[in-house]
Amino acid sequence: MATISTALRNFKEPTKEQQTQIGFSLPQSGPLDGSEQGTAADDIERMDINAVLSMGQQGEEDSYAGKLYLMAPFLCFTSLDRRSVRFTLPLSTIRRVERLNARAGIYALSLSLWNGLKIIVQLTSLRPTADLFCSLLRDALKVELQRGQMKLCKPFAKTCYSEFLLASDSDASSSSRLEHEREDGSIIEQEKKPDGEGGHERTYLGGLGLKFRFPGDPKKLREASKVKLWTSYLKTHGRNLTLLRYPQCTRLVQVGLPNRLRGEMWETLSGSIYLRFSHPNYYVQLLKDNEGRTSTSTEDIEKDLHRSLPEYAGYQSEEGIGALRRVLQAYSFKNPELGYCQAMNILAAAILIYMSEEQAFWLLEVLCDRLLPGYYAPSMHGTLLDQRVFESLVQRTLPIIHEHFQSVDVQLSVASLPWFLSLHATVFSCIKLSPAYLSFRYINSMPMIFAFRIMDCFFCMGPKVLFQVGLAILKINGDKLLAIQDDGQFLNLMRDYFASLAESAHPKSSDPRARAITKFQELLLVSFREFSGITEDLIHSERKRFRNEIIHSIESFSKRSAIRNLRTLGQFSKDQAGLIYDALYKAMCIVPPPSTHQNVQADLLVTTANGEGVEEKPETRIELKTFRYFLSEIATWARDEKIVSNGFQQRVDREVAEHEFIDRLFFFWDTSCKGALSFQDLVNGLDGVMFNGLMENIEWFFNLHDKNKDGYLTKDEVLVLSETWLFIFRFEVGDAYLGAISRFMTNAFEYGDALLPENQDSDVKESEGGGSPPPHVSSNQPYLNLPTFRMVVLADEILESFFETDMSASFRLQPLPEMELPVSSSGLLGDIWSTIATDSNKKIFNMFTDELGKTIGKHQVIHRPSIGRYTKLEEPKARESLLTPSMRRSASKSSLNSASASPSVGLTSSSTLSVDSLAISSSSTSTPPPPPPAKDTATPVSPVADSERGPLPVVQPAMLERTPFAIDDVGSDSDDDEEDDEEEDDDEEEDDLEDDDRVMDEVDAFLEAHDSGLSEADKAVAKDLLKAEPMK
Amino acid sequence: MADSASGSSADKSVQVKLVLLGEAAVGKSSVVLRFVSNEFQANKEPTIGAAFLTQKCRLEDRVLRYEIWDTAGQERFHSLAPMYYRNAQAAVVVYDITKASSLDKAKSWVKELQRQANPNIVIALAGNKLDLVQSSSAAQSGSTSEAEDEADDATATPGETPGTPEDGSESLRQVPREEAQAYATEAGLLFFEISAKTGEGVVDIFTEIAKKIPIEHILASSRGAAGRPGAAGARAGNAEGVNLDESAKPKDACNC
Ligand SMILES: Nc1nc2c(ncn2[C@@H]2O[C@H](COP(=O)(O)OP(=O)(O)OP(=O)(O)O)[C@@H](O)[C@H]2O)c(=O)[nH]1
Ligand SMILES: [Mg+2]
């Protein structure tokens, strides 16, 4: 793994708003291609309001109380339990909204949809709120009208099988439909062929199954009666874009969707249909735009095309393979960062049996981006996270099994990982390996059917289904699981179980109906009955709990493998290489390589394009900008550090320095001339300087400035070299270095001139003293060679000591505490980027204290020298207040003090706030530092900080990594009323969630008792509304 | 189905945990399938996570029970690998001799195993798809196992011929046998060129590994995580005349 990805840093907790969107299967807001969202979200009006939903046709369904959401361009509703009833309507399907003339005090709207469906929502919030909602709704509808979306509904509906189903049903000649269909729903290709236009043209989309048949025995699957049930449901409850989900819908899904409808229902239930609706032609265009493009993903895809449900007839033909290729490639073009992950081929192959390429493409998009976030990403962090969550849920719900697994050291994920990755689809292909299965090849398609039924539930009820089914599998096999001793037995047991799914769950029962229940039915029953407590909310909060842990372990894993993959460590130890990696990683996080989005992939593309088939291993490389940051973490002169003390705090403000020298170093280390440096390049580069002795350093420095590598510096280069010194020494105290440099220049030119070859020397007079070069030697000719340079350098004590120790020592590998994610993962910092937010808060805080400091005359800023050798000599007073003697010593000492117990770690480490906080520790417990600092500052600290508690606690989380200090204590002691304190906030949130849950449970109980959650009176009102006439 | 009872100690069989690693589509699963049920399927689905199979082998008077973990090859599954190779006593790292990059990947697996896995793990390097580079007069063999280990002189693998480099349709070959062999020797690995399709050399891998495994140690430390035997060279004694009871093999395929 030669690539280093900081993508995980973007692995965020979904916001509340996103969660709501997810709840309604809405597309993520924001433009499809833009990586950043939020721009669109800002100008979209959002509002929610309490409401009671009733169907337009009397008697169809009960009325349900819930919440209506306007999230343009959608209108959504969910019942209070967030389960029973739900709809997501694109505003463009709404043709008419009327205020109903009803009893006084009742505010109700009647919505007519484009296909004639009518629903009534009674807004039960206060009048002004309802008015506001209505006006927002009106505006949003207008926008949709102007966008021309309304016109699109009808043509779009033609692509949906449900419309065809209903149309042919109302024809009363339902036989016309059946004429063309086999029992399983596939099309009978007959005389239609000859004249192309013959008969009716198929406008609805469908999958390979139409041609290659659908797996499974249609009789056993009871296709016909399922179709009948769905026909009547869809007629009254809307379909495709306008589907209203009542409990009946979920029930019907749970018994398995009929083949013909399955594809469309998947896209409707998962919400991918909204994407297809709003992006007509996108899929075709995407393929066209990327035609002929290859990448690692496309290569990987090729490998797996013939390895995806190979036993299905459709994938033994070029037609099926082609469709699979296009869908997978299209997705990899759309999301190059994710690209292609094995398991996606199986999913894509599965869904292509039931839906067209375009439908499958959008469904895949929803799957990878929303339903299974991070599952297929290069780091597979989503998978790992959910494995962790699953384990925790097992511990919670099946503690005995969990305990047993722990005691015999069996890892749950050896079995459960594939369940999640393939939505339980590969489970059934792994059955094929079992001997039991081999002898029953005729049930070939049977496992696939089971997988599809689980997918039905998954798309309908969301990712929690995976957890529920997983738990049910374990529970059902509980007794046997308690007997297993190792991973292998565990897997065997699971395999045997899956192979038996078609068998009766109660073979010995005397009741024939009980005997008819298969193990698969039992599995679903247990999943949804006994694990109904596994809610999306619970999963969400569990994910939150383990997110940091997972990120942490993935990052440290990739760090280890990055180090392992180094061709050479040079003279570094593994730990030191780790520190270099940390600095690199941090630099990449802070200064992401340009076009982050494309970066990794672009790299891959470049290599494949240039290397013509002989792909180089993709390698992460950083560009100059990132390198500058990287170097600033390591080389003391590559950063500008200001030590600011303002009487309240003392901190180090660090900025990345920019200088030609740093750029020069970048290109010097870029030995393969790629214009970018890999981790290996950085290690090599540092290796080339950090362990050098005097002579090597002089040579290194010389070579660095010898641009054409001819062994000579030109006069210009001598000047540049001197300038480099000026840069390195820019913050040194006193003018010792200045003197040294000017002496060097004098000497260099003197010797240089003296050593010039005769012919050039002829008209040269001995130039005395002045640094100005003789005019006749053109400035870019070879001038000073290494021995001369060395001689000149060694003539100067200061320069000598610079090369002897200081230069190498100015590269320091130190642990970077900031990169650690907080260990306490109790919901804190769920959003990693909150550090950004708090960063700016920190700045505000710093500015504030600076201002205060200025007013009380305590503000002072000192640049920290890069070398620091001569600190003692100058301005002793200023220094005394800054550096304790021990610090001074170690600062000038040669140091490769990686993680060593050097007392200066705090000072030299990159923490933005100096450890020197001790200097202002008020009356806190810490022992005072050796040189007692300005005592007078101590007193004002607490009160002032106290009065300004606003920003303070905000700062706190971001500072967790560094040593606590007095002011923080003040802040954190009294943070109870902070609205911004992350930790608090999250805790509360969790409490809230739990409270919510409790409330919801009660509501559930209530609902069960009262069915729709409405009092009789309410029901009467709702009934009345059905008859109500529109106002005006 | 007899498995869960068979546990560990009962019979004389020694359990050996073996893991297969290597780039995607090099044929890991095919190799296992060949070994376990002596068949070949042209289009095997990619492995997701890992698959688990078992196969018994007879080695002299002893029965060896291989617990085989066949892992997924795609790079992004890499981070899951430690879950499967922990406690493994043997590893087969597979590459595809018609694909140069797959050897690089194999090398990096070896490196990782040598650093992270059980220190006494026996590693075999296997170049698969030998059938693709053999001329149609395929009958020849290339499964040498010479010089794999200083302590192990066992070259008595049945059906072996001297490893003459095959000519024929060499054009497909991207990894020269010598190169891989040299690397294997240097890294102290068993080395084979095999074909899961024809079956050539597949069983040899497992035989040779069986010979090299410090069985006594595994027995001594009974099963499980604790036993990290010290010396691998200890068992040179049983190296000669050792043979797998091949005829018995395909039928008692794992079953479990
Ligand atoms: N010609 C030939 N093809 C082979 C051989 N072994 C495997 N293959 C083919 O190579 C492809 C990949 O084989 P698999 O066994 O699935 O590869 P794998 O290493 O398990 O792949 P992943 O599970 O994705 O890591 C299949 O199409 C096999 O038919 C072989 O010895 N010769
Ligand atoms: Mg495989």
Side-chain angles (χ1 to χ4, degrees):
Chain A
M1 234 204 284
T3 51
I4 299 167
S5 167
T6 54
L8 271 188
R9 299 271 150 179
N10 286 318
F11 182 32
K12 307 182 222 183
E13 206 64 43
T15 60
K16 271 254 148 68
E17 190 156 308
Q18 284 168 331
Q19 273 174 263
T20 316
Q21 287 184 346
I22 291 170
F24 286 113
S25 319
L26 296 185
Q28 317 261 340
S29 51
L32 253 192
D33 306 302
S35 44
E36 287 312 304
Q37 49 207 46
T39 42
D42 294 337
D43 46 5
I44 288 178
E45 290 291 356
R46 284 154 194 282
M47 184 174 176
D48 53 85
I49 189 167
N50 295 329
V52 175
L53 171 72
S54 322
M55 292 282 296
Q57 277 124 319
Q58 197 164 358
E60 259 332 310
E61 295 280 359
D62 280 323
S63 298
Y64 281 84
K67 230 176 195 175
L68 193 64
Y69 293 77
L70 176 63
M71 290 183 282
F74 293 95
L75 184 70
C76 310
F77 175 86
T78 173
S79 55
L80 286 178
D81 63 357
R82 289 189 283 171
R83 237 177 267 154
S84 310
V85 180
R86 207 176 107 186
F87 70 65
T88 301
L89 293 174
L91 289 173
S92 46
T93 61
I94 301 175
R95 280 301 119 85
R96 181 191 279 251
V97 179
E98 287 159 322
R99 170 97 192 270
L100 291 180
N101 200 353
R103 294 185 200 170
I106 306 286
Y107 198 121
L109 301 176
S110 153
L111 309 176
S112 312
L113 307 185
W114 77 274
N115 51 12
L117 204 70
K118 216 177 214 183
I119 52 180
I120 292 165
V121 284
Q122 181 192 338
L123 306 183
T124 52
S125 290
L126 290 177
R127 181 67 187 259
T129 320
D131 280 337
L132 177 60
F133 188 88
C134 287
S135 77
L136 288 179
L137 179 61
R138 192 180 307 124
D139 293 347
L141 282 168
K142 247 185 224 149
V143 171
E144 284 306 289
L145 190 65
Q146 278 154 10
R147 282 174 57 212
Q149 287 293 307
M150 307 253 174
K151 283 181 294 212
L152 300 179
C153 293
K154 209 167 170 187
F156 184 82
K158 285 222 174 76
T159 64
C160 300
Y161 181 73
S162 56
E163 300 293 343
F164 171 76
L165 186 67
L166 291 195
S168 51
D169 187 63
S170 60
D171 272 355
S173 58
S174 57
S175 52
S176 79
R177 172 175 66 82
L178 295 175
E179 257 168 38
H180 298 272
E181 287 180 16
R182 291 197 192 87
E183 239 179 319
D184 70 339
S186 61
I187 291 182
I188 299 167
E189 302 256 0
Q190 356 115 309
E191 62 290 351
K192 195 171 139 195
K193 275 269 142 81
D195 52 343
E197 278 294 310
H200 61 127
E201 209 181 337
R202 176 165 77 85
T203 58
Y204 58 88
L205 301 172
L208 294 167
L210 291 181
K211 178 168 175 188
F212 295 96
R213 299 249 192 157
F214 295 99
D217 174 355
K219 281 237 173 55
K220 265 209 190 122
L221 296 173
R222 279 173 299 168
E223 283 292 302
S225 54
K226 281 179 186 170
V227 168
K228 209 187 246 160
L229 283 170
W230 275 107
T231 309
S232 73
Y233 184 87
L234 297 175
K235 196 182 277 172
T236 47
H237 297 79
R239 55 223 159 248
N240 49 68
L241 291 174
T242 61
L243 180 77
L244 311 177
R245 296 203 215 175
Y246 278 87
Q248 171 76 352
C249 176
T250 310
R251 250 173 266 143
L252 284 176
V253 170
Q254 285 177 352
V255 297
L257 286 161
N259 290 330
R260 218 43 182 305
L261 261 176
R262 185 168 257 150
E264 180 190 319
M265 287 308 294
W266 281 354
E267 64 170 347
T268 303
L269 295 168
S270 72
S272 73
I273 197 170
Y274 310 120
L275 284 169
R276 181 163 72 87
F277 176 58
S278 54
H279 298 88
N281 296 324
Y282 182 93
Y283 172 71
V284 176
Q285 194 60 41
L286 182 70
L287 281 176
K288 207 182 272 169
D289 292 346
N290 290 285
E291 208 177 331
R293 195 169 137 194
T294 58
S295 65
T296 338
S297 300
T298 57
E299 279 172 37
D300 285 354
I301 290 168
E302 287 306 314
K303 278 185 207 163
D304 289 348
L305 286 178
H306 293 274
R307 306 208 282 154
S308 318
L309 306 187
E311 63 273 359
Y312 180 68
Y315 297 113
Q316 290 153 13
S317 82
E318 204 28 59
E319 186 179 344
I321 297 291
L324 187 58
R325 175 186 293 119
R326 285 187 293 274
V327 168
L328 289 172
Q329 285 191 350
Y331 183 79
S332 81
F333 297 142
K334 165 122 197 317
N335 187 352
E337 226 166 300
L338 191 151
Y340 166 74
C341 176
Q342 292 187 323
M344 281 165 66
N345 62 325
I346 293 175
L347 289 181
I351 60 185
L352 272 171
I353 296 177
Y354 296 98
M355 38 172 56
S356 68
E357 286 176 44
E358 189 190 4
Q359 290 172 302
F361 168 76
W362 290 114
L363 186 60
L364 201 59
E365 153 100 7
V366 165
L367 255 175
C368 298
D369 294 5
R370 169 151 55 75
L371 295 174
L372 305 174
Y375 268 44
Y376 305 115
S379 62
M380 300 187 58
H381 51 267
T383 307
L384 297 174
L385 177 58
D386 276 2
Q387 286 306 298
R388 187 70 190 78
V389 169
F390 183 58
E391 192 187 328
S392 136
L393 293 179
V394 171
Q395 181 172 21
R396 205 183 273 210
T397 56
L398 306 166
I400 303 174
I401 293 180
H402 183 262
E403 212 168 275
H404 176 69
F405 277 22
Q406 296 257 297
S407 70
V408 293
D409 193 24
V410 162
Q411 298 194 46
L412 199 55
S413 3
V414 296
S416 61
L417 189 109
W419 301 351
F420 283 77
L421 264 183
S422 64
L423 311 184
H424 293 276
T426 50
V427 161
F428 304 110
S429 63
C430 92
I431 298 171
K432 281 183 252 158
L433 290 172
S434 86
Y437 177 78
L438 289 174
S439 49
F440 291 106
R441 279 201 199 248
Y442 66 91
I443 54 161
N444 204 339
S445 51
M446 212 54 211
M448 255 155 81
I449 301 299
F450 295 145
F452 294 137
R453 287 195 50 191
I454 291 181
M455 285 164 84
D456 292 343
C457 299
F458 172 81
F459 288 126
C460 178
M461 297 183 284
K464 68 175 179 197
V465 169
L466 298 181
F467 293 92
Q468 291 171 323
V469 173
L471 290 168
I473 292 173
L474 296 180
K475 167 143 200 195
I476 291 170
N477 290 286
D479 290 341
K480 290 182 195 152
L481 284 173
L482 291 181
I484 60 153
Q485 297 297 320
D486 60 28
D487 291 343
Q489 290 172 17
F490 179 31
L491 277 195
N492 280 339
L493 178 63
M494 289 295 102
R495 196 174 58 197
D496 293 343
Y497 171 67
F498 293 133
S500 73
L501 278 179
E503 296 165 13
S504 166
H506 312 284
K508 295 192 191 107
S509 169
S510 54
D511 180 353
R513 280 178 45 190
R515 248 183 290 136
I517 295 177
T518 63
K519 287 196 182 173
F520 180 74
Q521 283 166 325
E522 178 194 44
L523 175 62
L524 287 191
L525 220 64
V526 174
S527 304
F528 303 132
R529 276 262 164 85
E530 303 192 27
F531 293 100
S532 60
I534 308 296
T535 61
E536 296 295 344
D537 281 344
L538 176 64
I539 289 167
H540 175 75
S541 69
E542 287 291 290
R543 282 180 179 163
K544 199 165 169 177
R545 202 147 75 90
F546 295 112
R547 191 171 304 250
N548 285 344
E549 183 186 307
I550 294 296
I551 292 179
H552 209 95
S553 74
I554 295 176
E555 285 188 343
S556 77
F557 179 85
S558 36
K559 174 173 164 182
R560 265 182 285 131
S561 57
I563 293 169
R564 190 172 50 234
N565 282 332
L566 285 173
R567 282 182 300 280
T568 163
L569 285 173
Q571 297 157 77
F572 290 109
S573 71
K574 251 195 215 170
D575 286 344
Q576 288 167 331
L579 295 172
I580 299 174
Y581 179 92
D582 289 344
L584 169 63
Y585 194 81
K586 182 173 180 196
M588 287 178 58
C589 288
I590 299 204
V591 190
S595 69
T596 20
H597 199 56
Q598 232 72 339
N599 176 41
V600 179
Q601 201 60 19
D603 258 331
L604 304 184
L605 288 176
V606 168
T607 47
T608 38
N610 295 344
E612 289 170 352
V614 190
E615 329 94 86
E616 268 175 69
K617 269 201 233 158
E619 205 164 31
T620 301
R621 293 177 167 270
I622 56 168
E623 302 195 322
L624 184 55
K625 249 177 108 189
T626 316
F627 174 74
R628 287 194 191 120
Y629 191 94
F630 165 80
L631 198 66
S632 79
E633 288 293 333
I634 289 185
T636 52
W637 36 262
R639 55 191 180 229
D640 291 343
E641 280 183 318
K642 284 185 284 191
I643 301 171
V644 181
S645 35
N646 54 25
F648 305 100
Q649 47 147 242
Q650 183 171 315
R651 65 170 195 273
V652 178
D653 285 348
R654 177 186 282 193
E655 273 168 36
V656 176
E658 280 190 31
H659 189 266
E660 197 208 336
F661 175 55
I662 294 170
D663 305 359
R664 184 179 291 272
L665 203 58
F666 176 81
F667 293 108
F668 189 59
W669 286 357
D670 181 16
T671 46
S672 49
C673 299
K674 288 217 165 74
L677 298 181
S678 66
F679 181 35
Q680 182 72 63
D681 290 335
L682 296 171
V683 169
N684 291 346
L686 288 171
D687 185 50
V689 60
M690 289 183 66
F691 301 95
N692 288 348
L694 174 62
M695 291 303 162
E696 293 150 303
N697 266 337
I698 294 177
E699 190 175 344
W700 181 85
F701 201 70
F702 179 89
N703 288 337
L704 193 55
H705 290 87
D706 177 14
K707 223 176 188 163
N708 60 359
K709 305 208 162 52
D710 64 349
Y712 280 91
L713 298 181
T714 64
K715 278 194 178 175
D716 274 356
E717 286 168 343
V718 173
L719 290 175
V720 170
L721 182 145
S722 314
E723 217 179 284
T724 301
W725 269 326
L726 286 176
F727 166 68
I728 292 178
F729 300 139
R730 66 197 182 282
F731 296 133
E732 298 308 312
V733 183
D735 17 74
Y737 284 105
L738 226 53
I741 296 169
S742 83
R743 277 196 301 280
F744 164 81
M745 285 171 63
T746 315
N747 289 336
F749 288 123
E750 212 167 279
Y751 281 106
D753 285 348
L755 292 172
L756 276 181
E758 279 310 310
N759 59 342
Q760 291 206 349
D761 207 28
S762 57
D763 51 353
V764 178
K765 287 189 180 166
E766 289 284 301
S767 67
E768 2 50 276
S772 56
H776 42 268
V777 181
S778 90
S779 53
N780 53 8
Q781 263 165 15
Y783 184 67
L784 202 67
N785 64 8
L786 178 60
T788 318
F789 175 69
R790 193 185 293 141
M791 188 171 67
V792 177
V793 163
L794 292 179
D796 191 291
E797 192 192 334
I798 292 179
L799 291 182
E800 181 185 343
S801 80
F802 170 70
F803 283 118
E804 186 156 23
T805 51
D806 297 348
M807 192 177 80
S808 293
S810 68
F811 292 88
R812 292 174 196 171
L813 298 181
Q814 277 137 352
L816 302 176
E818 269 134 300
M819 288 311 290
E820 303 290 330
L821 290 165
V823 192
S824 60
S825 58
S826 57
L828 163 75
L829 277 194
D831 183 348
I832 302 165
W833 280 118
S834 63
T835 42
I836 294 282
T838 48
D839 250 357
S840 64
N841 284 327
K842 199 153 65 182
K843 269 190 202 123
I844 294 170
F845 171 69
N846 286 343
M847 257 161 55
F848 167 75
T849 50
D850 284 356
E851 286 311 308
L852 278 184
K854 276 175 199 158
T855 53
I856 59 170
K858 289 282 175 204
H859 185 74
Q860 63 168 319
V861 177
I862 295 160
H863 284 280
R864 179 188 284 159
S866 310
I867 306 295
R869 175 172 291 271
Y870 294 98
T871 49
K872 234 178 283 181
L873 307 176
E874 320 287 337
E875 302 172 42
K877 270 170 240 150
R879 312 262 99 219
E880 277 309 309
S881 65
L882 290 175
L883 305 170
T884 64
S886 68
M887 283 163 173
R888 227 179 302 132
R889 239 181 291 121
S890 72
S892 61
K893 224 186 270 163
S894 78
S895 57
L896 239 191
N897 46 354
S898 57
S900 72
S902 154
S904 71
V905 164
L907 178 77
T908 49
S909 87
S910 61
S911 63
T912 12
L913 282 168
S914 158
V915 176
D916 242 10
S917 58
L918 288 180
I920 46 152
S921 65
S922 46
S923 51
S924 73
T925 53
S926 50
T927 45
K935 315 113 204 143
D936 45 331
T937 58
T939 8
V941 173
S942 350
V944 176
D946 229 345
S947 68
E948 273 309 313
R949 265 195 281 108
L952 263 176
V954 183
V955 176
Q956 203 210 342
M959 299 182 176
L960 278 176
E961 327 79 21
R962 52 132 188 90
T963 353
F965 92 15
I967 296 181
D968 292 338
D969 291 343
V970 174
S972 54
D973 278 350
S974 49
D975 51 10
D976 28 18
D977 55 346
E978 310 315 339
E979 62 318 320
D980 276 347
D981 186 324
E982 303 261 340
E983 185 156 18
E984 283 296 306
D985 206 25
D986 281 348
D987 282 353
E988 274 164 24
E989 216 168 85
E990 254 172 33
D991 284 347
D992 277 354
L993 281 179
E994 259 162 50
D995 277 343
D996 274 354
D997 265 347
R998 248 170 266 137
V999 172
M1000 292 318 296
D1001 285 345
E1002 280 158 32
V1003 171
D1004 277 354
F1006 177 82
L1007 282 180
E1008 257 159 50
H1010 295 84
D1011 212 351
S1012 61
L1014 295 176
S1015 67
E1016 284 311 313
D1018 289 340
K1019 275 189 187 161
V1021 171
K1023 271 221 178 89
D1024 268 9
L1025 284 176
L1026 295 176
K1027 299 171 210 138
E1029 290 298 314
M1031 294 216 295
K1032 281 172 280 169
Chain B
M1 345 254 150
D3 70 305
S4 39
S6 76
S8 50
S9 45
D11 47 29
K12 270 197 249 31
S13 79
V14 183
Q15 299 208 26
V16 174
K17 177 169 172 180
L18 181 146
V19 61
L20 275 104
L21 300 166
E23 203 178 71
V26 294
K28 296 177 295 299
S29 305
S30 303
V31 169
V32 181
L33 193 66
R34 169 63 69 189
F35 178 57
V36 170
S37 43
N38 199 17
E39 57 176 301
F40 178 76
Q41 293 171 4
N43 294 313
K44 280 201 60 60
E45 274 152 26
T47 311
I48 308 297
F52 176 77
L53 293 112
T54 55
Q55 169 68 302
K56 282 189 187 138
C57 302
R58 198 171 303 279
L59 186 70
E60 286 187 321
D61 58 332
R62 198 162 277 127
V63 178
L64 222 90
R65 186 163 174 274
Y66 275 118
E67 302 196 318
I68 303 170
W69 290 85
D70 168 28
T71 63
Q74 204 189 9
E75 179 63 47
R76 59 191 79 185
F77 288 87
H78 185 131
S79 63
L80 307 174
M83 178 160 81
Y84 304 112
Y85 67 62
R86 66 180 193 140
N87 302 337
Q89 284 115 358
V92 179
V93 179
V94 186
Y95 68 95
D96 176 350
I97 59 175
T98 66
K99 191 150 179 272
S101 67
S102 68
L103 181 64
D104 294 337
K105 184 67 203 170
K107 287 180 182 172
S108 97
W109 277 121
V110 170
K111 211 164 161 186
E112 176 165 343
L113 286 172
Q114 288 176 336
R115 292 202 198 174
Q116 318 255 105
N118 174 353
N120 292 311
I121 190 166
V122 176
I123 306 176
L125 181 69
N128 190 30
K129 307 200 183 174
L130 189 57
D131 56 289
L132 291 178
V133 303
Q134 282 168 333
S135 47
S136 44
S137 61
Q140 60 172 314
S141 142
S143 64
T144 28
S145 50
E146 83 240 21
E148 55 266 346
D149 189 56
E150 320 83 314
D152 200 346
D153 62 342
T155 27
T157 322
E160 177 192 311
T161 52
T164 47
E166 313 80 14
D167 329 285
S169 49
E170 278 292 285
S171 55
L172 273 175
R173 186 189 271 275
Q174 282 190 10
V175 180
R177 182 193 179 88
E178 300 73 31
E179 181 193 329
Q181 170 78 68
Y183 163 72
T185 312
E186 178 198 320
L189 319 171
L190 296 165
F191 175 69
F192 307 88
E193 283 196 343
I194 59 169
S195 164
K197 192 169 179 179
T198 64
E200 179 175 347
V202 171
V203 176
D204 299 345
I205 305 178
F206 295 89
T207 326
E208 293 301 317
I209 289 177
K211 291 186 204 162
K212 224 185 155 192
I213 289 267
I215 291 176
E216 313 303 333
H217 256 284
I218 298 174
L219 277 182
S221 56
S222 71
R223 59 178 301 96
R228 292 296 84 86
R235 22 113 345 254
N238 54 6
E240 86 191 295
V242 176
N243 214 336
L244 265 193
D245 186 356
E246 291 197 41
S247 56
K249 184 211 53 183
K251 270 304 96 172
D252 67 30
C254 85
N255 143 300
C256 339

